[in-house]
Structure formats: structure tokens, C-alpha cells
Amino acid sequence: MLSVLFAACKKNDTGPEGGSVRIESFTPAQGGGTTEMLINGENFSADASKIAVSINGRPLKIIAANDHQIMAIVPKRTGSGPVTVTVGGQTATSTDVFNYQYVHTVSTLAGDGTPGFANGNGTNAQFHFYDPVNNWYRASGIVVDQSLNVYVTDVGNNCIRKIDSAGNVSVFAGSPGNGGHADGKGTAARFNWPFSLGIDADDNVYCVDVLNWDIRKITPDGTATTIAWAKAEPWNIAVNKTTGDVYYSNIWAAQVYQLKKDQSFHDVIAGGFTWAAGLACDNNGNVYTVGMGNRAVWKIEANTWKTSIIAGSATGEEGYVNGVGAAARFANPWGLAADDAGNLYVAGNGTGDGGANADQSIRFIKAGTWDVSTFAGSGTPGFTNGVGGAATFSGPIGVAVDKNGAVYVLDKTNNAVRKIISE
């Protein structure tokens, strides 16, 4: 379609006429990777080698050009932003913004859907995230390091598992099936309900061990050390990667605690939530938590610890509605993660039975605007790989995001770890 339009609208192709380069319009206004974009303007060139087009600094491949038009292809993962054209040292930037539409593709990284214990590659591995007999949520901890290794709390097996970037699953720390409390390396360590994980800038993993009331630091070689005893039963944890400070929450007291890296402070910084669940930190030191009972996402401002609801109902109204800030609705949200841009990801299932919740998705909250949208999944439970809303989860309770923007989900009732690639 655009190729035909380009040929029909072609005027002269003699190159720049000595005036200023100017962008008048571009079409389409939105699209994903491989979208063909037609840019209209003045003083371009018929020599494509003299032209550079970019969005957010990412170059577009030019496939045709004349003095008044350029046709270019948008690369994957470009993001939204104005269009920039440079010809012969002159640069023009569009007033309008190209709205990039990501495609979120869900696959299974590891786990076969059956509760149990088995190391192996991909779906040959087994986890015990969920207990169908007692109908109880069994894990929410998931983090990813700089080498793209994923770590998950395998509560039913009382250990922490490691999944490398190729999908190979092994025991990182803890003795499968053997609960207790012991520091040590690898399987010499003992945990009793290791529920949530955090990770620092040096790839040390932090774990809250619910029934032991402790906070463990696990170095990249799998050595677990108790660094503090929690002041209340700890359920969720996050680490400020800039300062190394640790934050953990207690769902019953509805409070969030700070443990300074040097342990000069260890106390409550915020409260008043109903079931303070998932925790996340952004690069500015702000802390975020999910009030599962409030059905809202809260921001705890750095240093002042002032709290406010940034998404969801202030009155705890339940639902599955996208929208900006208070217009959004959640149904028992639990897991929370932040990416490098400060965007938040919410795992929508904090209930015991994965299929009973109205939200079986990962929601995306855009930084600053707090606009809530569905990232992948829907309100329907299942175990299907696919794109966006066509993919299904059953009890997504934990979420993490890596340095490249890939999202990982602890899919509780499916006893699997899922991966979402955005392009």
C-alpha cells in the first residue's frame, strides 16, 4: 500500500534544493517492528546514502527516497518517539510521535505443569510452586541476574532453583524436600518456606524465609548467609540496586520495613496497606508495593516515605479494568517488578486457587502516567503459549524483568516459569 502511494506521489528526484530539511507528516502513526513508514517533507534526497532516519536513536532502513518522500522500515523494539531525518548535515524532527506497538510473545522457559521435583532442561524440569491438595499458594519469588540466569523460590521443595539462559534447571541453594534453618553453600543450606527473592547490583540474591523469620543473602556461587532476623514474618523482598538497602513486607501487619546495607537502620518505613504483597524499587530509590486487599499499587517516595496509590481503587474495589491511575481495577494483585525506565509489572494472582481469580495476566503500568494496560494473558486461566492476550496463565504470582526487557513469570498453578519477549 505504501509502496504504491510512494510511486504515485513521487515528484522530482533531483535531491535537496538548498532549503531546510522539513518533515511535514508521516504515516502510519503507529505500528510495530517491520512497519513501512512513509515520511513526507521537503528537501530530502533521491540518494538514500545521504539520508538517515531514526526514532529514539534507532536507525530505520531506507528502502526508497526522493526530494519530498522517504520510505523506511521501523526496526523491532524501537519504542515510541518522534521521527528524525538528517540530510547533508541538516536535521529535522517531527512534531508528532510515532506510537510503537509491541508484540508480547509468551513461551514456557521451564516446568511441565506437574508439581514435583526434577532438574533438567525446559519442560523436562519440575517445580512445586502450588499444592493442589491444600489449595494454597506456594511461591512468588523470581529474579534475574545480569547474565540472564533466573532464580525462583521452590517452596514445596524448600529450595531455590536456578534456570540458566538456555533453560537448564538446577538447585541454587537449599536441600530439596528438607526444611530447616542452616547457612551454607548449595544443598548444605536449609530453608523453611523460602517465599520471595530480591537481587542486588552484584547479582547477590536475597531471600525471605517465611517460617524462619530471616533474611538470607546468597552469593552467586550459592552460599547462603543469614544477614538479619525480620521484625515481622517476612513475605516479600526487594533490593535497591543503587544503595544495597533491603526492603521487606509483612502481609499481616501491612507494613514495609527497611534494612540498610550497613544495618544502621532496620525498622518500619510505611504502613496502612491491606496485605502488603509484592515489592519493587526503581532507579530513583522509590519503593512500590501491592496492597492485595486494597487491590491497588502504592508508591513509597524515596527518603520521605510518603505513600500514595498510583493505580487501582482507593476503596478496594475489585475488577479487571485497564485505565489511568485510579480508573484501573485489579483482582488480588501480588507480584511486582520494575524495569530500568521505572515501568512496573504486576502479576495478577494472589489467591490460593489460580483459576478462581478474575485476573490471570501480567499488567503493565507506565512510569509517570501510571497508565495500566494488559501486557500478556487475560482473565481466563490456562497454560497456552502465544501472543499477548492469546497466551494464558494460571495463577501468575511472581514477575521479574531483565536488562533487555524480557519479562519472566512464576506461573504458580501451572508449576512453570514463563518468558515474555517484547518486539
Side-chain angles (χ1 to χ4, degrees):
M1 177 65 179
L2 288 186
S3 298
V4 173
L5 181 62
F6 185 91
C9 295
K10 184 175 179 180
K11 298 180 182 179
N12 72 68
D13 57 1
T14 59
E17 299 174 350
S20 298
V21 174
R22 187 165 71 91
I23 299 174
E24 295 175 346
S25 65
F26 60 83
T27 187
Q30 61 185 21
T34 73
T35 295
E36 288 188 358
M37 175 185 289
L38 179 65
I39 306 167
N40 299 297
E42 294 182 352
N43 296 302
F44 297 156
S45 173
D47 185 351
S49 67
K50 297 180 179 179
I51 304 172
V53 179
S54 64
I55 300 174
N56 294 326
R58 292 179 63 85
L60 279 64
K61 180 181 179 181
I62 299 170
I63 57 176
N66 63 35
D67 187 48
H68 297 280
Q69 293 180 312
I70 301 169
M71 185 176 291
I73 299 177
V74 178
K76 293 181 179 180
R77 301 184 58 80
T78 294
S80 299
V83 178
T84 298
V85 174
T86 300
V87 182
Q90 294 186 30
T91 297
T93 301
S94 67
T95 301
D96 295 331
V97 170
F98 176 76
N99 292 302
Y100 188 87
Q101 297 178 319
Y102 283 95
V103 174
H104 309 300
T105 303
V106 180
S107 62
T108 300
L109 179 64
D112 68 354
T114 305
F117 177 84
N119 289 323
N121 181 266
T123 56
N124 291 319
Q126 288 185 329
F127 305 92
H128 196 174
F129 296 148
Y130 177 71
D131 183 351
V133 176
N134 296 312
N135 191 30
W136 188 246
Y137 49 87
R138 301 292 302 237
S140 73
I142 182 167
V143 293
V144 56
D145 67 18
Q146 293 299 306
S147 299
L148 307 184
N149 298 301
V150 178
Y151 304 87
V152 293
T153 50
D154 191 353
V155 181
N157 290 310
N158 278 308
C159 64
I160 297 165
R161 311 286 287 280
K162 177 180 178 179
I163 312 168
D164 68 18
S165 58
N168 297 304
V169 180
S170 60
V171 174
F172 180 56
S175 178
N178 297 309
H181 180 275
D183 291 338
K185 184 175 180 178
T187 56
R190 296 288 186 274
F191 298 89
N192 200 359
W193 267 66
F195 193 82
S196 178
L197 300 176
I199 194 164
D200 67 17
D202 297 320
D203 288 340
N204 297 299
V205 174
Y206 294 75
C207 177
V208 285
D209 199 4
V210 176
L211 298 185
N212 282 324
W213 280 49
D214 69 349
I215 300 168
R216 306 280 190 99
K217 178 180 179 180
I218 311 169
T219 54
D221 68 352
T223 301
T225 304
T226 302
I227 61 170
W229 298 99
K231 295 201 169 186
E233 188 176 71
W235 281 79
N236 290 279
I237 190 169
V239 182
N240 183 323
K241 291 186 178 181
T242 302
T243 64
D245 296 341
V246 173
Y247 301 87
Y248 66 93
S249 65
N250 172 265
I251 59 175
W252 315 117
Q255 294 175 324
V256 175
Y257 301 77
Q258 181 190 42
L259 173 65
K260 296 283 284 185
K261 183 179 181 180
D262 61 5
Q263 300 196 12
S264 61
F265 179 86
H266 183 188
D267 214 339
V268 177
I269 60 166
F273 317 104
T274 303
W275 281 56
L279 289 170
C281 294
D282 66 20
N283 290 337
N284 295 318
N286 300 301
V287 181
Y288 301 85
T289 190
V290 172
M292 180 184 145
N294 299 119
R295 300 184 176 92
V297 180
W298 298 70
K299 179 180 180 180
I300 308 171
E301 294 183 13
N303 303 318
T304 66
W305 309 131
K306 177 183 176 182
T307 61
S308 60
I309 293 175
I310 59 171
S313 171
T315 59
E317 182 180 344
E318 181 178 358
Y320 181 39
V321 180
N322 292 322
V324 177
R329 293 291 181 268
F330 297 91
N332 300 318
W334 190 278
L336 193 61
D339 64 20
D340 288 341
N343 301 305
L344 300 175
Y345 303 78
V346 183
N349 195 278
T351 58
D353 181 0
N357 193 19
D359 186 352
Q360 302 289 331
S361 73
I362 301 300
R363 312 282 283 283
F364 176 81
I365 307 178
K366 187 173 178 59
T369 67
W370 312 128
D371 188 3
V372 179
S373 59
T374 298
F375 193 76
S378 64
T380 303
F383 192 8
T384 307
N385 293 323
V387 176
T392 57
F393 303 93
S394 186
I397 192 172
V399 61
V401 57
D402 72 20
K403 62 183 181 182
N404 299 321
V407 174
Y408 302 83
V409 181
L410 194 157
D411 195 3
K412 174 186 59 186
T413 314
N414 285 324
N415 288 288
V417 177
R418 315 288 290 282
K419 183 177 182 179
I420 311 173
I421 297 294
S422 300
E423 292 183 325

